[in-house]
Amino acid sequence: MNKLESCRKGFPNPYTAFINDTDIMDFGAVIESFKISGSAVSNSIYQGINRTTFHELACSVGMKTVTLSLFFSAETRRRLTLNKSAVDALMVGKIVLHMPDGFYYDAVLTAAGELQMLGVEQNQLIALCTYTFQGIQRDDLRTITGNTIFADGTAPRMDCRLKCTATADRSTMQVGSVTFSGIHAGDVVVADGIDGVLTVNGSPVVASFTKLPYLVPGEQTIVCPETLTVEYYPTYI
């Protein structure tokens, strides 16, 4: 059985991927190979003159490079070109790649190669094209109830969304790193570090904060007088 035949035996398999929930096989494409780099890490350090020690001033963790090579197959050169164009269109803007390694990648396209004709197989023209992305590797959205939680993932910080319903009137109420004012019993309060918004009963509000909510890997306790619902994407470096 050749590779093009084996890829059509059902999902999941190592030869298909989804772009914004659309299967690339819908456009006659299958994976030839893919490669995921490590995350880009940038450190700022200070070392005194002739000192044998140094101090870390800052550290940032960036994106991974995703290299994806696809086989395209079609009966005509025109259909082959149209199939590639359709896949290219799926990659415009910020996208979600669901890869055969089981991870999601919030990604942007940085390079799209041209079709490289390989030949004919079972009356199908076969061509190869390679794409390159920058992306964040993550799992699907997780939802946890409670103020002491365990967060999966290895990224030093993972943006999160904190939700709660006030059980009493409060002049101020702390929800993680955000302090809301003028809260009444029954208000639904959201400190959203994923989308970067703060709301009460669905309406944007002004609140006091030095940073938006995030989680760190492992167990942690989030400050709030009410029981929290916590949403986040386990993210990996």
Side-chain angles (χ1 to χ4, degrees):
M1 180 182 297
N2 62 45
K3 192 169 188 178
L4 288 174
E5 290 174 334
S6 64
C7 78
R8 297 186 172 93
K9 295 301 180 181
F11 183 81
N13 66 56
Y15 302 130
T16 192
F18 288 81
I19 303 171
N20 296 335
D21 293 327
T22 298
D23 192 341
I24 62 171
M25 292 175 65
D26 291 347
F27 302 99
V30 295
I31 295 177
E32 186 271 336
S33 65
F34 70 93
K35 181 172 65 175
I36 312 297
S37 77
S39 296
V41 178
S42 176
N43 288 288
S44 176
I45 64 171
Y46 170 76
Q47 181 183 13
I49 297 174
N50 294 326
R51 302 293 298 184
T52 57
T53 59
F54 65 89
H55 302 278
E56 181 185 67
L57 302 178
C59 177
S60 62
V61 178
M63 297 183 175
K64 297 176 181 284
T65 298
V66 180
T67 305
L68 178 63
S69 295
L70 301 180
F71 282 133
F72 287 89
S73 62
E75 293 183 354
T76 66
R77 182 65 181 264
R78 174 179 170 81
R79 174 47 56 188
L80 203 64
T81 301
L82 288 173
N83 284 349
K84 179 183 183 297
S85 180
V87 171
D88 289 355
L90 293 175
M91 298 176 179
V92 174
K94 181 181 177 181
I95 65 169
V96 177
L97 284 172
H98 192 188
M99 297 288 285
D101 60 4
F103 292 102
Y104 295 88
Y105 295 85
D106 294 321
V108 291
L109 181 69
T110 58
E114 52 188 49
L115 283 174
Q116 176 188 353
M117 299 303 300
L118 301 180
V120 179
E121 182 179 304
Q122 298 180 356
N123 297 319
Q124 295 278 306
L125 293 172
I126 307 299
L128 181 69
C129 184
T130 298
Y131 300 88
T132 306
F133 305 86
Q134 292 292 304
I136 301 292
Q137 184 185 60
R138 65 168 176 82
D139 284 328
D140 208 353
L141 187 69
R142 299 275 179 88
T143 301
I144 305 172
T145 300
N147 295 32
T148 297
I149 66 169
F150 186 94
D152 292 320
T154 59
R157 296 184 178 188
M158 296 173 284
D159 297 336
C160 70
R161 183 180 295 120
L162 307 178
K163 302 179 182 180
C164 66
T165 300
T167 58
D169 292 348
R170 302 181 189 276
S171 58
T172 62
M173 186 172 77
Q174 186 173 351
V175 181
S177 57
V178 181
T179 300
F180 293 84
S181 300
I183 300 302
H184 301 288
D187 284 350
V188 177
V189 181
V190 179
D192 190 340
I194 296 175
D195 294 324
V197 295
L198 307 172
T199 64
V200 175
N201 298 324
S203 299
V205 297
V206 176
S208 174
F209 65 95
T210 56
K211 54 186 178 294
L212 289 170
Y214 64 85
L215 303 179
V216 298
E219 186 173 277
Q220 57 223 276
T221 298
I222 304 169
V223 177
C224 184
E226 307 291 355
T227 300
L228 289 168
T229 298
V230 183
E231 297 178 337
Y232 77 104
Y233 295 97
T235 306
Y236 305 90
I237 63 172

